[in-house]
Amino acid sequence: MSSHAEESNRRDFLVIAANAFAGVGAAVTLWPFIQQMNPDKSALALASTEVDLSPVKEGQAITVMWRGKPVFIRNRTADEVKSAQDVPVKELPDDVARNENLAADAPATDQNRTAKGHENWLVVIGICTHLGCIPKGQALGDAKGDYGGWFCPCHGSHYDTAARIRKGPAPRNLDVPPFAFISDTKIKIG
Amino acid sequence: MSSHESNYKPTSRFGKWLDDRLPVGRLMHGQFVDFPTPRNLNYWWTFGGILTFCLVAQLVTGIVLAMHYQPSAAEAFNSVDHIRRDVNYGWMIQAMHATGSSMFFLAAYIHLFRGLYYGSYKAPREILWILGVFIILAMMATAFMGYSLPWGQMSFWAVTVITNLFSSLDSIIPGVGTAIVQWLWGGYSVSGSTLNRFFALHYLLPFVIVGLVALHIWALHVVGQNNPAGLDIKTKSDSVPMYPYAVAKDAVGLFAFLLVFAWFVFFLPDYLGHADNFIEANPLVTPPHIVPEWYFLPYYAILRAVPSKLGGVILMFASIAILAFAPWLDTARVRSSKYRPIYKWFFWLFVFTCLALGYLGAKPAEGSYVAWARVFTAYYFLHFIVVMPILGLIETPKKLPGSITEDVLGPGAGKGATAGAAAAPETR
């Protein structure tokens, strides 16, 4: 009897071990077929870009592409900077800076939305945080929304001159990409 | 019905030889020639056949288009233009395929509402019904990916907005939504990689639908067709063989449907599309109004009716998922709404709700449009979770006919009838 039981246990073990092995093998085989869909090395290689800011006069804005996304760069006027600085953080729907160059919990002050010493330059990813439309406000004739920054025509989100969400369905401020000034008139994004 | 005996007799020597080795002729004969169909089916029952036609038509035209289409961000838009202008008969085949998706959904929605009205989801047809819900879901995924292929502005921004829905998962586990969206895109934004994989999947999914349809028909032929009276086939005189009776009726319905189909293909090929899709995809400019194709408008209205991004996404998917639970939510003793004097009105209110949501989905998401979308979204769900379970318990149904034969010939008919199925249908 005991030898029977032992036989049966050995078989159980073999069945479980074989199935576990096959299961792990199937999962390992599946992984490349999932991973192939993720952004590849060539997409990552486009991950940084340099932008010459010298032609952009005060009050003008340019749009550059970074990782296939539009990046809004605005040379803000003194008025625009002041109106952005004067807003108390408490009044903002999203009170976090969303600046990849700073800590994740930095408050959404205008200083935290820009680079130190270059407060007139605002660099943000121009994709509405609601459902991914491109807000209006880059061209001179565009509707800039109730707060003088950007306005998303899809579902009516208003952004201020620091590209912070002020009104509408968007949940977050426009993201500030990782960037740095490599000279006074040149930035590197990414 | 599974109990039915086919009277298949191979006539040729080859037929007999084959029948002993692979009885495919016997299978087809038993399932599609002498298969017993209820004798009281009305024209709403022709949409199953119409849908089979639509699926085959989309497959044939789609495979032809794939021979001329180029799934790259640089060439896609131009290659569709090339198909419409240069390829021999490309103008017609492209119009058939683009219009065909609308016709497919039109027929599917009629088929679905017919099932809801006559209680076709009720026991023993639960699996049949759930397979139908899976088919609708697969059709939606296929249509969505197909819509991206012309690579116009609406294509591009529809993909952007809809794939971004998954980013709402970020509010449950931060980062997961973004990771899923980038995985779907194959980049940091919608790009040529996205288009290429959508093309591959758009080619694959129709064959998945073919498999689901095969299961759907199999399940149908196990339990037998529902019918306007909602009764089961009990005697021979309750049914007629599928050929020629149901096949002939299906053909009449199909040709009427094809008149509408052809009208759109030849006279209004772009009517159901959107003008913005004739502008090539531009990742830097969003069209002022992003609107999905008409067959997605009710879901889009539900999505936008909810103030929370994640909540809207959940309700939108729930609006389809809840259909699968209808067999258990409906507590009525009878199947057909014909014999449910109160529920009948709620059914039409539900139809109106779906149409109203479709209308609101096409309007900008502001002011009273949003308020009404909320009202109708609420009724959409209340219909399933309140009206169906409660009304079924308190409503007294009208008296049912004694049999399917009595439904056609009047009370007392068919009692002791010995007439075979083939002899019965003169009075039909």
Side-chain angles (χ1 to χ4, degrees):
Chain A
M1 285 304 281
S2 66
S3 74
H4 252 111
E6 206 176 70
E7 285 267 311
S8 154
N9 284 339
R10 278 167 62 95
R11 178 151 297 180
D12 286 350
F13 172 78
L14 281 172
V15 167
I16 292 167
N19 280 332
F21 200 73
V24 170
V28 168
T29 314
L30 189 62
W31 176 245
F33 290 88
I34 295 170
Q35 176 62 13
Q36 53 86 18
M37 281 177 68
N38 269 321
D40 60 19
K41 289 271 159 44
S42 70
L44 292 165
L46 301 170
S48 77
T49 183
E50 286 182 17
V51 184
D52 179 14
L53 300 179
S54 54
V56 187
K57 302 278 173 294
E58 187 175 310
Q60 289 184 332
I62 57 165
T63 307
V64 298
M65 293 296 276
W66 173 68
R67 288 183 169 185
K69 300 173 182 182
V71 173
F72 292 168
I73 303 174
R74 195 188 274 193
N75 188 351
R76 301 184 295 171
T77 62
D79 280 355
E80 286 174 336
V81 175
K82 184 156 191 326
S83 76
Q85 284 174 346
D86 287 350
V87 184
V89 173
K90 275 185 189 138
E91 279 183 19
L92 298 168
D94 179 21
D95 58 8
V96 188
R98 308 285 171 196
N99 185 340
E100 293 210 29
N101 308 291
L102 299 175
D105 58 350
T109 58
D110 191 62
Q111 285 80 359
N112 283 346
R113 299 279 293 162
T114 52
K116 199 168 169 28
H118 303 276
E119 276 79 8
N120 58 321
W121 291 101
L122 184 70
V123 181
V124 289
I125 294 173
I127 292 180
C128 183
T129 55
H130 182 225
L131 288 175
C133 298
I134 310 297
K136 296 266 173 208
Q138 285 294 89
L140 285 174
D142 277 355
K144 290 186 163 63
D146 294 354
Y147 297 88
W150 288 268
F151 170 70
C152 183
C154 289
H155 303 98
S157 293
H158 299 255
Y159 296 90
D160 67 10
T161 53
R164 294 172 296 198
I165 181 66
R166 300 298 290 274
K167 196 171 121 184
R172 290 180 292 115
N173 302 326
L174 292 188
D175 291 311
V176 178
F179 79 98
F181 277 84
I182 48 179
S183 77
D184 268 359
T185 58
K186 207 171 221 182
I187 58 168
K188 184 181 176 194
I189 307 173
Chain B
M1 297 182 72
S2 53
S3 60
H4 124 86
E5 293 269 323
S6 173
N7 58 12
Y8 179 70
K9 282 193 186 65
T11 46
S12 64
R13 279 186 65 189
F14 173 73
K16 290 194 187 90
W17 181 85
L18 185 66
D19 194 45
D20 290 337
R21 286 156 177 82
L22 181 70
V24 66
R26 180 175 297 278
L27 177 77
M28 298 310 274
H29 191 91
Q31 296 303 317
F32 302 105
V33 177
D34 61 11
F35 185 77
T37 58
R39 64 188 288 173
N40 59 342
L41 294 185
N42 59 30
Y43 275 106
W44 299 113
W45 261 265
T46 62
F47 281 88
I50 288 169
L51 283 163
T52 310
F53 169 84
C54 287
L55 178 58
V56 173
Q58 287 302 85
L59 276 166
V60 171
T61 53
I63 289 167
V64 170
L65 290 176
M67 295 179 187
H68 304 278
Y69 173 77
Q70 295 187 311
S72 77
E75 290 301 322
F77 186 81
N78 290 336
S79 72
V80 173
D81 225 32
H82 163 71
I83 288 168
R84 291 176 60 125
R85 288 163 188 270
D86 304 336
V87 173
N88 299 331
Y89 290 102
W91 59 272
M92 186 178 82
I93 295 165
Q94 192 273 340
M96 282 176 172
H97 194 73
T99 311
S101 69
S102 281
M103 294 298 137
F104 202 164
F105 272 98
L106 176 68
Y109 285 151
I110 293 174
H111 192 67
L112 198 162
F113 279 117
R114 188 269 285 153
L116 279 176
Y117 184 82
Y118 291 110
S120 300
Y121 47 86
K122 290 177 78 70
R125 298 187 180 82
E126 302 95 326
I127 296 291
L128 171 62
W129 175 259
I130 290 169
L131 283 165
V133 175
F134 282 137
I135 292 171
I136 281 276
L137 279 173
M139 280 173 64
M140 287 176 169
T142 310
F144 166 67
M145 292 189 195
Y147 192 59
S148 74
L149 302 184
W151 211 235
Q153 274 289 68
M154 272 299 165
S155 300
F156 184 92
W157 290 99
V159 172
T160 301
V161 168
I162 300 302
T163 49
N164 258 315
L165 294 177
F166 289 97
S167 70
S168 61
L169 294 172
D170 276 343
S171 61
I172 305 176
I173 313 167
V176 167
T178 307
I180 290 176
V181 171
Q182 290 186 354
W183 178 71
L184 288 171
W185 286 344
Y188 300 104
S189 59
V190 176
S191 65
S193 323
T194 323
L195 174 66
N196 213 327
R197 63 187 56 181
F198 275 22
F199 176 64
L201 294 172
H202 182 70
Y203 207 115
L204 164 74
L205 277 177
F207 295 98
V208 175
I209 297 178
V210 168
L212 287 168
V213 167
L215 292 177
H216 192 65
I217 294 174
W218 185 3
L220 174 73
H221 282 217
V222 168
V223 295
Q225 282 168 291
N226 188 29
N227 54 80
L231 299 171
D232 295 324
I233 295 176
K234 291 192 193 91
T235 61
K236 264 200 147 181
S237 78
D238 283 346
S239 72
V240 290
M242 184 159 171
Y243 180 84
Y245 300 102
V247 171
K249 193 159 186 153
D250 278 359
V252 175
L254 177 61
F255 280 108
F257 183 80
L258 284 178
L259 283 177
V260 180
F261 197 146
W263 175 263
F264 275 101
V265 168
F266 292 104
F267 296 103
L268 300 163
D270 296 316
Y271 181 77
L272 297 163
H274 200 288
D276 274 306
N277 227 22
F278 290 98
I279 304 167
E280 190 167 2
N282 180 355
L284 290 177
V285 182
T286 306
H289 296 291
I290 298 180
V291 187
E293 294 275 82
W294 70 267
Y295 40 81
F296 289 142
L297 288 173
Y299 314 107
Y300 196 55
I302 292 174
L303 169 74
R304 297 187 308 178
V306 186
S308 133
K309 187 166 149 184
L310 180 66
V313 175
I314 289 172
L315 272 202
M316 186 177 76
F317 284 110
S319 69
I320 300 160
I322 200 166
L323 286 168
F325 298 94
W328 296 277
L329 290 168
D330 184 356
T331 54
R333 282 165 292 153
V334 300
R335 293 197 185 106
S336 173
S337 299
K338 230 169 122 179
Y339 305 101
R340 299 186 63 187
I342 309 172
Y343 180 76
K344 192 189 272 184
W345 293 105
F346 281 100
F347 170 82
W348 289 111
L349 178 59
F350 179 71
V351 173
F352 180 76
T353 297
C354 294
L355 295 173
L357 283 171
Y359 169 79
L360 293 165
K363 294 287 162 193
E366 56 198 31
S368 61
Y369 294 130
V370 176
W372 280 111
R374 285 177 187 162
V375 170
F376 286 113
T377 300
Y379 182 70
Y380 185 98
F381 288 99
L382 287 176
H383 182 85
F384 287 100
I385 57 181
V386 176
V387 175
M388 271 191 170
I390 293 178
L391 199 59
L393 295 176
I394 57 174
E395 182 183 43
T396 311
K398 288 199 245 175
K399 191 175 180 307
L400 293 172
S403 66
I404 291 173
T405 310
E406 278 193 25
D407 183 41
V408 181
L409 302 178
K415 287 270 157 55
T418 50
E426 263 77 41
T427 44
R428 191 164 174 253

